[in-house]
Amino acid sequence: MSALYIEPLLLGITLGVFSGLIPGVGNFVLMLLIWPFLGAFGIVELLLMYTAMASISQYIGSVPAIVYGIPGESSSYPAVAESKRLTSVKQVSQAISGSALGSAVGSLLVVGLCWVFVDYTDMIKYFYNTKILVALLVTVTLVMIFTVNNRWYVNVLLIAGGLLLGLIGYNSYLGINFATFDNMYLYAGLPMPVVLICLFAIPQMLHHFNDDVSKGLAKSYELGRIYVLNPLAMLGSTLIGFVGGLIPGLTTVFSSTAAYNVSMLFTRDPVKRIVVSETANNAGAFSMLLPLLIFGVPLIGSEAILLFLMEQKGFNLVQFKFSDFLPTLAAGLVVVNLVGFLLAWPLSRAVPFFYKFNLKIVMSLLIVMLFCVTVYTGYTNYSTAYYVICFAVLAPIGVMLRNVDTLPLVFAFIIHNKLIDGTFRLYQLIS
């Protein structure tokens, strides 16, 4: 692997550690925080950084879930549920080491599957057209209505709100202005970073603002022999994780939960249940990239940011093939999984030191940093005042939505151009 790729891998690993440790501060929030610095990366570097971040966050998230009973990552809820049933030092030790090993095996097995079937994934792209794109976007949106953790009608309202916010400005396909009020800045639409910060990052962080790790009693464990799950169970959880990673809006959350539910049919051992769920979520952390790289359809908010940044660098489905990226991604994942295994097992002893910090202070600082990102991004676009005004208008709405999962809103806002433009082209083709 080229030395040029070391920097994005290190950045992704570092971000993944923070994503896995701090409740509510997921990959989406961290990508917003480093938005101004990602312009220096090319398409491959962005992919490597994101893959490393997504994978490491799954590794690290299992440690606080098992030791403290808190979900560092949202996909770690099964581990949180079963951590209450770990009654001995040996069981906790087995859960820690088994999760680390299972995550490594699950992730690498999925890469191997992609390598074996890479020619078939490239063939899928030849069937890519406007009809399929519109169908995929509509399907993802419908699935999100019934899977995101709100009532279905709330998700419908959020999607409608996201589409309306996305429509603000001048639309070249429809040839109309919407809610511009003759303001020259509004003709270009609402700035994406500000919308994502105010209507997703801030509500998500505020929702977890009162989570207090110090209230939970840390479980003791030892770094003894590594726990190895039954190979058949490991393979089964990997396959479940692979399929679960393709579910829009849920990805690794669905992977870990589905594998966990299946394991409940076969065993009552909390260690096995935890290892199965953690193996599955790391498998899903890579498979969720397939719809993005093959069809250009993001399944979660952080992928939507990644796609936006890649498109700024010239990424398109005609010119780039998944097989072109796979060798570099595979080599990067070997390195990342080795680091993740070390962090999640022998180096997991360092996790308690992090939780000596007051997480409320950490989150408050992150919100201030998000405002600074808004100002900086506005400055680089010669629109500082406009960005700050948008922040001042949208941030209070984000605060009001702190108990709602606003993923459908920001997803609709991000894909509105693809959906509207694709629908318009489809109408022209039919007529």
Side-chain angles (χ1 to χ4, degrees):
M1 174 170 288
S2 171
L4 295 174
Y5 298 144
I6 294 177
E7 183 179 350
L9 283 176
L10 287 176
L11 177 61
I13 289 170
T14 303
L15 293 174
V17 170
F18 282 100
S19 177
L21 286 176
I22 310 177
V25 182
N27 299 332
F28 188 96
V29 174
L30 291 173
M31 287 195 72
L32 289 173
L33 281 172
I34 64 167
W35 184 298
F37 308 103
L38 294 177
F41 286 162
I43 294 173
V44 177
E45 286 86 353
L46 286 169
L47 273 174
L48 281 173
M49 183 278 297
Y50 183 84
T51 305
M53 176 177 64
S55 182
I56 293 295
S57 66
Q58 303 301 322
Y59 274 102
I60 299 298
S62 64
V63 179
I66 295 169
V67 177
Y68 289 95
I70 63 166
E73 258 289 319
S74 55
S75 59
S76 296
Y77 279 104
V80 171
E82 289 299 317
S83 69
K84 300 171 184 177
R85 301 178 60 230
L86 300 175
T87 57
S88 67
V89 172
K90 180 181 179 181
Q91 282 185 314
V92 179
S93 305
Q94 288 177 333
I96 291 287
S97 64
S99 295
L101 179 62
S103 295
V105 172
S107 181
L108 294 176
L109 279 177
V110 167
V111 175
L113 284 173
C114 292
W115 197 289
V116 171
F117 295 106
V118 66
D119 292 334
Y120 297 97
T121 59
D122 279 340
M123 287 174 62
I124 294 174
K125 191 183 297 186
Y126 289 110
F127 295 95
Y128 172 83
N129 55 43
T130 299
K131 294 180 182 179
I132 291 179
L133 174 62
V134 173
L136 282 171
L137 291 175
V138 171
T139 300
V140 170
T141 303
L142 289 174
V143 171
M144 197 164 286
I145 288 174
F146 297 103
T147 58
V148 173
N149 191 28
N150 303 309
R151 295 196 180 268
W152 68 268
Y153 55 83
V154 173
N155 290 330
V156 170
L157 291 174
L158 290 171
I159 289 172
L163 291 174
L164 287 174
L165 289 176
L167 283 173
I168 293 175
Y170 176 73
N171 187 284
S172 58
Y173 278 93
L174 302 178
I176 60 172
N177 297 321
F178 179 75
T180 57
F181 307 106
D182 292 325
N183 184 294
M184 60 177 292
Y185 291 107
L186 284 174
Y187 276 100
L190 296 176
M192 181 179 290
V194 181
V195 174
L196 301 185
I197 287 171
C198 293
L199 299 183
F200 188 82
I202 289 178
Q204 181 172 300
M205 294 174 69
L206 291 179
H207 182 71
H208 293 274
F209 192 77
N210 291 319
D211 291 353
D212 190 354
V213 179
S214 63
K215 292 180 180 178
L217 182 63
K219 295 181 174 65
S220 300
Y221 64 97
E222 299 172 348
L223 298 176
R225 294 177 60 185
I226 194 165
Y227 179 80
V228 181
L229 187 67
N230 179 288
L232 186 60
M234 192 171 291
L235 178 61
S237 58
T238 298
L239 292 175
I240 293 172
F242 177 85
V243 175
L246 304 176
I247 304 298
L250 294 177
T251 58
T252 56
V253 175
F254 184 89
S255 296
S256 61
T257 305
Y260 172 64
N261 289 337
V262 171
S263 72
M264 293 175 70
L265 301 174
F266 296 96
T267 180
R268 301 185 65 179
D269 186 346
V271 174
K272 291 181 179 178
R273 290 180 176 182
I274 289 173
V275 175
V276 162
S277 67
E278 292 301 309
T279 300
N281 68 31
N282 253 56
F286 186 77
S287 65
M288 70 182 184
L289 284 173
L290 296 181
L292 179 73
L293 297 178
I294 296 173
F295 293 110
V297 176
L299 299 183
I300 53 176
S302 56
E303 279 192 1
I305 298 177
L306 174 64
L307 178 60
F308 176 81
L309 293 169
M310 289 170 57
E311 288 178 339
Q312 299 287 59
K313 298 292 181 177
F315 173 77
N316 62 75
L317 296 175
V318 176
Q319 183 179 356
F320 295 94
K321 295 181 178 180
F322 177 59
S323 57
D324 297 333
F325 297 118
L326 186 57
T328 304
L329 287 177
L333 268 176
V334 170
V335 176
V336 167
N337 277 280
L338 174 60
V339 173
F341 175 78
L342 294 175
L343 290 173
W345 184 39
L347 297 180
S348 61
R349 287 291 193 187
V351 169
F353 293 101
F354 177 83
Y355 286 121
K356 291 182 179 180
F357 294 98
N358 188 319
L359 290 187
K360 288 186 178 181
I361 296 176
V362 173
M363 288 192 180
S364 299
L365 289 174
L366 290 176
I367 292 174
V368 172
M369 291 172 64
L370 286 172
F371 176 74
C372 293
V373 169
T374 298
V375 175
Y376 178 81
T377 308
Y379 173 77
T380 57
N381 287 279
Y382 307 101
S383 307
T384 306
Y386 174 56
Y387 275 57
V388 172
I389 291 172
C390 287
F391 187 96
V393 172
L394 295 175
I397 299 175
V399 173
M400 290 187 291
L401 294 174
R402 63 186 178 276
N403 293 321
V404 176
D405 189 338
T406 57
L407 177 60
L409 187 152
V410 298
F411 181 81
F413 176 80
I414 290 169
I415 68 162
H416 81 276
N417 266 334
K418 288 181 179 292
L419 184 60
I420 292 173
D421 296 351
T423 304
F424 183 78
R425 287 197 300 270
L426 182 59
Y427 172 76
Q428 288 182 319
L429 290 172
I430 295 175
S431 59

